Amino acid sequence: MRMDSTMRDLAFALKTFARAPLAAATIVVTVAIGLGVVAVLFSILNTYLFRVDIVPDISEMYAVERPRLADDVKALFPLDRFEAMRRETSVFTDAYGAVPDVDIRVDGRVMAVVLVTDNFFEVVRVTPRMGRALTPFDNRAGGNPVIVLSDKGWRRRFDRDPHVLGRTVLVNGVPFEIVGVMPAGFRGLEVSGPDVWAPLSQIAQFRPDLRGREHQTGVDIVGRLRPGVTPASALAQLAAWDANQAAGADRRESNINLVPRRGTIPQPMEAIAVFAPLFLAFGLILMIGCANVANLLLARGVARQREIGIRLSLGGSRRRIIRQLLTESLLLALAAAVGGYFVSRIALEGTVYWITSVMPADIGDINLNVPAGDWRVAVFLVVAAVAATALFALLPALQATRIDPVRTLRGELMPQARPGRARNALIGMQVFASALLLICSAIFLRSSLASSEFDPGFRTADTIMIDIANEPKRAALLHAIAAEPTITGFAGIRPSMLDQRPGFAETNSGKKSVPYKFVSGAYFEVMGIPIVRGRTFAPAERDEDAVVIVSESTARMLWPDRDAIGATFRLEPDAGTGTESRDGSILGESRVVTVVGVSRDVTGFRFGDRRDAAVFVPTSPDVPKTSLMARVTGDPDLARQKLLDGLTRIDPNMGMIVTMRTVARLEQFFLDIAFWVALVLGLLALLLTVSGLFSVLSYLVEQRTKEIGVRMALGASSRNVTQLILLQTTRPVLYGLIGGAGLVAALAAVLLASDLGAFIGPIVHVADPIAYAGGMLVIVAACLLAAAIPAARAARLDPMRTLRQD
């Protein structure tokens, strides 16, 4: 019985759509846009949070980790400790070691590499789609230099060439043979899968800095739990084993964790918290679309009063008619879900193409893939469609059935069926969301314009940062750089231009915190930072010399009543950073130093609070782990590319070469992305709002034709009629504007009062009054334009003809 009733509802709904195809198409397109926009975000979240790797029995896979260090650096296990764990514990059926995040250059482009032990593919139980996996022979000392491609690497670097097996790629001059290609969907239990897997025994070829120290290499450890072993018991056994291994050593290292490894983000709630504001912004489009459709259905409900009155007079219950109306809306929403899927795919493809085309080439090879649409996305769209039905269909269905059948059959329009308050609330909701998004886009635009004029305090138009990763090639690279005619000068710097190290300066007046870095004497000339007093470093002064240069503000802080030149103080590293670091940028020990120069203060970059150091220690470009800053002539992008081509012939795995102009524009680049996203969403919201407002007013003019004719026959002027129509929307538009602007202002106040506000406040001008006024003026102008056409049509009515038609 229930099935027969449902089938009748479906058949009647299809007949209704056939009678009014334009209205049905309008509803489908409007809701499809909203669903598609929200599905864009869900597709991204699905890829990194819900879509687990294609590994059999993946619930058995766990990573063995230590708590992160104080500077949030991941603590790794030495390779020999991993091998001991495999031999001496029995919690895993087997475990593999991996060194992730290794990059190599192939044909001038970067490939992401993960180095793994030979049993990696056996542990994950995934076989190649082409060729073979790694073998024990590949991973022994002196084994074959081979690599296995991921599906992503096969597509991105070799265009899915079916004859890729047997081809070679050069890694630091050594040819590596491609022996296999893994299936699509396999990411190697990494959140963002690599392009290549290579034997861990070949690490010296990929990381020349570890040559001779291979067994001290830090590795990730991932294993498959033995059947019958619970994670809790496995953790207890591993902790006991680790504590025993740490006997006589630093007991702090005995802390150990067991973390599920699924190929997804390990902190899902944190990721959801990050995505929540974006879901809110994108969800506003769906809310506006639903409000638009609800207004359309309210209007259609008034037009269908006679039909509904007949059905009620023939014995149909109000509940049964509401069910029929909801069935019609649900069918339209499900059709919109299909359209929403295609909208999301088009939006994702377009966004990825846009970002990869506008992203500066010198900040790295952008590894962006269009998130796949799987069954989870389909389920999300269906659930969202059902929820949208409740948003836009329930109120109109309830409103349409609040009629008296007898009076309706006589042709009377039921006053309680006129959805005035509901209509105004929906219009206000649409304007509210449009104001919220457009004001945000105006804020990002104004912030981007201000960022383009920001001066970091040193040269960025013609300077380049060069990272030397392969120490054995340093001398040859320095010689090539010195011989390059486009380079007019270069200097050493350690750590990089965008980093510094915390330290302390101890004088007679106490100890003060001062960040420091190592630079060679040419640094200040190359970067255009004047020495205001004293001198720069001499070419012969290096790391061990007890001289420093301080910034003006540091000199005033340490010696407020005297000249800093010739003053001495004790410079010591922050004990929390240790005495060594991978980039060699930590002072070996505290030392008494003499100030030989005072440099002008440098503002630095605002993103990440990347300020320049307060104290500069001498170094030389030929010191290991030292990067270079170079000044070039002509177009810096052309100079960078020429330099990259020349240096990669010396070192195929050459480190990053970045123009400082690009680095200076990063802040503006991300503000531009935020602006365009907010602008597209805001314009889409405004378009839906304007179309909805136009439709509602056009319908009202049609419904009130007789009333308007009577008013004009009694002496009302065209101006009076125009004002009457415009007043229909003045109040809801005004309330929506005040609500949207008020919410943005409230959020801005909360943000500025938080720690995050101190970070982004100088960059994003969240309280810019021009942005607020501009966004609101755009909405007012658009709403007036939407209302002007129906109002003008009402003002042109002929009262005598209107009254004769009744």
Side-chain angles (χ1 to χ4, degrees):
M1 187 70 177
R2 173 76 62 156
M3 181 61 69
D4 292 340
S5 177
T6 301
M7 295 304 295
R8 286 196 297 271
D9 287 344
L10 293 175
F12 186 82
L14 295 176
K15 291 179 181 178
T16 303
F17 302 155
R19 289 196 300 267
L22 183 59
T26 301
I27 293 173
V28 169
V29 171
T30 303
V31 179
I33 291 173
L35 289 175
V37 167
V38 178
V40 166
L41 268 188
F42 182 82
S43 297
I44 299 172
L45 198 64
N46 174 56
T47 297
Y48 297 109
L49 201 63
F50 305 130
R51 189 165 167 260
V52 298
D53 215 334
I54 56 164
V55 172
D57 300 319
I58 197 170
S59 60
E60 299 174 354
M61 304 302 299
Y62 282 84
V64 183
E65 298 180 356
R66 294 196 188 283
R68 288 185 174 268
L69 303 177
D71 52 359
D72 202 38
V73 174
K74 188 176 182 179
L76 301 175
F77 289 83
L79 182 58
D80 52 3
R81 183 70 66 89
F82 157 69
E83 293 170 347
M85 180 181 293
R86 287 185 68 192
R87 291 193 308 268
E88 299 170 11
T89 63
S90 59
V91 298
F92 297 123
T93 56
D94 201 357
Y96 68 84
V99 178
D101 304 325
V102 179
D103 293 333
I104 61 171
R105 289 187 181 273
V106 177
D107 299 328
R109 300 182 67 186
V110 176
M111 293 184 73
V113 181
V114 173
L115 301 166
V116 293
T117 51
D118 62 271
N119 64 333
F120 166 71
F121 295 104
E122 295 178 4
V123 175
V124 296
R125 300 176 186 171
V126 179
T127 57
R129 64 178 296 171
M130 293 170 52
R132 66 173 178 85
L134 301 179
T135 66
F137 183 78
D138 297 325
N139 223 358
R140 68 179 179 85
N144 296 328
V146 297
I147 60 173
V148 175
L149 294 176
S150 68
D151 181 79
K152 180 178 71 173
W154 185 38
R155 173 180 53 81
R156 294 177 67 229
R157 296 293 181 251
F158 300 98
D159 198 25
R160 297 190 182 277
D161 180 4
H163 306 294
V164 73
L165 298 181
R167 291 178 58 175
T168 60
V169 296
L170 286 178
V171 179
N172 287 324
V174 176
F176 276 68
E177 181 185 0
I178 300 172
V179 297
V181 178
M182 298 306 292
F186 176 64
R187 295 180 289 192
L189 299 179
E190 303 287 337
V191 174
S192 181
D195 295 308
V196 167
W197 289 277
L200 187 55
S201 61
Q202 300 288 341
I203 190 169
Q205 292 299 329
F206 292 88
R207 293 276 303 275
D209 57 309
L210 294 175
R211 192 179 302 277
R213 300 185 293 117
E214 287 86 352
H215 283 282
Q216 300 175 13
T217 301
V219 298
D220 286 338
I221 300 176
V222 180
R224 186 179 288 276
L225 280 185
R226 192 176 296 277
V229 178
T230 65
S233 64
L235 177 60
Q237 293 182 51
L238 289 172
W241 171 85
D242 193 50
N244 184 59
Q245 292 289 313
D250 188 349
R251 301 292 296 188
R252 291 175 299 178
E253 292 189 356
S254 62
N255 294 328
I256 201 167
N257 294 324
L258 203 60
V259 180
R261 182 65 71 89
R262 307 287 184 264
T264 56
I265 296 176
Q267 290 86 26
M269 296 311 299
E270 293 182 9
I272 291 175
V274 170
F275 273 82
L278 291 175
F279 265 113
L280 176 62
F282 282 53
L284 289 175
I285 303 300
L286 179 58
M287 184 189 74
I288 292 175
C290 289
N292 220 350
V293 172
N295 263 328
L296 178 59
L297 291 179
L298 285 169
R300 287 193 67 203
V302 175
R304 296 177 66 179
Q305 280 193 31
R306 184 175 180 83
E307 170 201 332
I308 295 172
I310 292 173
R311 296 178 66 182
L312 288 172
S313 65
L314 293 177
S317 67
R318 186 184 182 208
R319 179 178 178 181
R320 182 70 182 81
I321 296 174
I322 290 175
R323 178 184 165 189
Q324 170 63 50
L325 296 175
L326 291 179
T327 300
E328 295 175 11
S329 300
L330 181 59
L331 279 180
L332 294 174
L334 292 176
V338 177
Y341 176 81
F342 291 104
V343 169
S344 69
R345 303 318 300 171
I346 293 172
L348 286 169
E349 293 275 0
T351 301
V352 169
Y353 175 79
W354 174 67
I355 291 178
T356 53
S357 59
V358 302
M359 182 77 77
D362 49 342
I363 67 173
D365 190 16
I366 306 304
N367 184 8
L368 285 181
N369 293 309
V370 178
D374 58 11
W375 64 269
R376 297 178 187 84
V377 177
V379 170
F380 171 80
L381 282 169
V382 171
V383 172
V386 174
T389 302
L391 284 174
F392 72 73
L394 184 58
L395 176 62
L398 294 173
Q399 190 79 27
T401 56
R402 294 175 57 193
I403 61 175
D404 181 348
V406 177
R407 296 176 62 186
T408 301
L409 291 176
R410 288 202 301 262
E412 298 181 24
L413 185 64
M414 301 300 297
Q416 65 268 27
R418 291 185 176 181
R421 292 182 179 178
R423 181 184 60 243
N424 289 340
L426 291 171
I427 292 174
M429 185 188 304
Q430 291 175 296
V431 174
F432 165 82
S434 299
L436 188 65
L437 292 170
L438 282 176
I439 291 173
C440 286
S441 68
I443 287 173
F444 287 125
L445 175 61
R446 294 272 299 169
S447 300
S448 178
L449 293 175
S451 175
S452 65
E453 301 174 357
F454 177 75
D455 181 13
F458 49 77
R459 299 179 71 102
T460 59
D462 58 354
T463 50
I464 292 178
M465 182 168 57
I466 306 170
D467 179 30
I468 298 179
N470 191 353
E471 291 300 335
K473 300 290 181 68
R474 176 175 289 271
L477 292 172
L478 288 176
H479 179 75
I481 292 170
E484 173 57 47
T486 59
I487 293 182
T488 60
F490 66 91
I493 182 171
R494 191 174 77 250
S496 70
M497 187 68 197
L498 307 180
D499 203 357
Q500 58 192 11
R501 289 293 177 260
F504 297 98
E506 185 176 1
T507 62
N508 293 334
S509 59
K511 182 184 290 188
K512 302 291 179 61
S513 174
V514 290
Y516 65 92
K517 69 169 48 173
F518 297 81
V519 300
S520 64
Y523 168 77
F524 300 96
E525 180 184 357
V526 168
M527 299 307 299
I529 303 173
I531 300 294
V532 295
R533 293 193 301 280
R535 65 173 177 87
T536 186
F537 296 129
E541 290 174 328
R542 299 169 66 93
D543 296 53
E544 61 273 9
D545 290 292
V547 294
V548 296
I549 294 173
V550 299
S551 66
E552 286 183 291
S553 58
T554 304
R556 289 193 297 268
M557 176 183 69
L558 296 179
W559 302 282
D561 302 324
R562 53 164 292 188
D563 188 2
I565 302 298
T568 61
F569 67 95
R570 179 172 291 278
L571 177 64
E572 60 183 59
D574 186 345
T577 63
T579 58
E580 295 183 0
S581 69
R582 287 185 298 177
D583 60 4
S585 59
I586 303 300
L587 288 170
E589 56 185 12
S590 63
R591 63 179 75 170
V592 176
V593 294
T594 302
V595 178
V596 298
V598 176
S599 70
R600 187 189 65 190
D601 285 334
V602 171
T603 305
F605 298 117
R606 295 180 295 183
F607 60 88
D609 197 24
R610 300 295 190 179
R611 302 180 183 276
D612 208 1
V615 176
F616 301 92
V617 183
T619 190
S620 174
D622 57 5
V623 173
K625 310 300 181 184
T626 300
S627 300
L628 302 179
M629 300 302 303
R631 186 185 294 182
V632 300
T633 58
D635 187 338
D637 292 320
L638 295 178
R640 171 197 167 271
Q641 189 59 50
K642 182 179 179 182
L643 190 62
L644 180 63
D645 294 340
L647 297 184
T648 50
R649 285 194 290 269
I650 300 172
D651 180 10
N653 200 28
M654 181 65 199
M656 294 280 290
I657 302 179
V658 184
T659 64
M660 292 307 295
R661 183 171 65 179
T662 293
V663 177
R665 290 176 178 174
L666 280 180
E667 175 185 303
Q668 183 184 357
F669 175 76
F670 290 112
L671 285 172
D672 286 344
I673 290 179
F675 161 69
W676 282 109
V677 170
L679 180 65
V680 169
L681 293 177
L683 291 179
L684 193 58
L686 187 61
L687 178 63
L688 292 173
T689 300
V690 167
S691 66
L693 187 59
F694 174 80
S695 300
V696 167
L697 290 181
S698 297
Y699 173 77
L700 285 176
V701 169
E702 183 179 347
Q703 291 294 314
R704 300 180 67 178
T705 299
K706 178 181 177 181
E707 174 193 342
I708 294 172
V710 171
R711 287 176 179 269
M712 297 183 73
L714 293 176
S717 65
S718 297
R719 181 178 180 181
N720 296 140
V721 173
T722 301
Q723 291 176 346
L724 173 68
I725 300 302
L726 292 179
L727 285 174
Q728 293 287 332
T729 57
T730 299
R731 184 175 297 176
V733 169
L734 180 62
Y735 287 165
L737 279 175
I738 294 174
L743 180 59
V744 175
L747 292 175
V750 172
L751 180 63
L752 291 176
S754 66
D755 294 337
L756 182 61
F759 174 73
I760 70 170
I763 302 174
V764 183
H765 303 160
V766 294
D768 185 351
I770 297 179
Y772 284 75
M776 295 173 71
L777 284 175
V778 168
I779 294 174
V780 170
C783 290
L784 286 176
L785 180 62
I789 298 176
R793 189 172 64 191
R796 291 196 300 268
L797 288 175
D798 184 346
M800 299 307 298
R801 180 179 299 177
T802 301
L803 295 176
R804 282 198 301 268
Q805 289 176 349
D806 186 56

